[in-house]
Amino acid sequence: MESDQGQVSHRQKCPSLGPRPNQLIHPMDHQDQQEDRPLRIRLRSDCPCGSQQAYNDCCRPYHIGKAQPKTAEQLMRARYSAFFFRLPDFLVSTTHPDTREKNLRAELESFLPTAMWRSLNILSSSKGGPKDNKGKVEFVAQCHEDGQLRELYEHSRFRRHKGQWKYLDAKG
């Protein structure tokens, strides 16, 4: 992550977060319920994107492939939550192929464990609606990295690819 430049790098898997968010909840016995508790708590908790909705009703459907963001801002929020939960697959798949670096996954897996994301504040968005093909989202995100509180300011550009919103770059 380059906080001075406004470029977000990327994240990985963290054992302390419990089961991955793309695991489904199935009927289970009492012992399984105890092991699945972190996931159940996460699903009911507020989404880290700041929408004030439960994660299960907000970004999780995007993370597990049950829904697609209808707006650039929804994708921005889902990507922030993917950084928060360290979901490199989602971050790679939602990066536009025209700007996706070949080593993006490796960069994400190196960066994600180093940052603890704290908050997302959407400052503005332009275009990026359900009928648009391009959009911009301006935001500030806070994280702790290397023991320092850092603030990332970015004006992200988004573009549709094969009908789906993708993050293009931070050149907005």
Side-chain angles (χ1 to χ4, degrees), residues 14 27 66:
C14 175
K66 296 286 185 188

Side-chain angles (χ1 to χ4, degrees), residues 115-161:
M116 298 293 294
W117 293 92
R118 298 293 176 219
S119 66
L120 172 68
N121 184 16
I122 304 289
L123 302 175
S124 69
S125 58
S126 61
K127 298 194 178 185
K131 295 182 181 183
D132 294 319
N133 289 317
K134 296 179 181 180
K136 294 180 181 180
V137 179
E138 181 182 20
F139 69 92
V140 175
Q142 289 186 335
C143 73
H144 280 95
E145 185 180 23
D146 299 325
Q148 300 280 326
L149 179 62
R150 300 184 189 255
E151 199 166 77
L152 167 75
Y153 169 81
E154 188 172 302
H155 202 158
S156 301
R157 294 191 309 166
F158 295 84
R159 186 184 306 159
R160 287 192 189 269
H161 177 74

Side-chain angles (χ1 to χ4, degrees), residues 19-24 39 42 55 60 63-64 87 89:
R20 303 274 300 195
N22 60 352
Q23 291 178 324
L24 299 176
L39 177 60
R42 181 186 308 163
Y55 172 65
R60 183 173 183 261
H63 292 163
I64 64 172
L87 304 174
D89 292 339

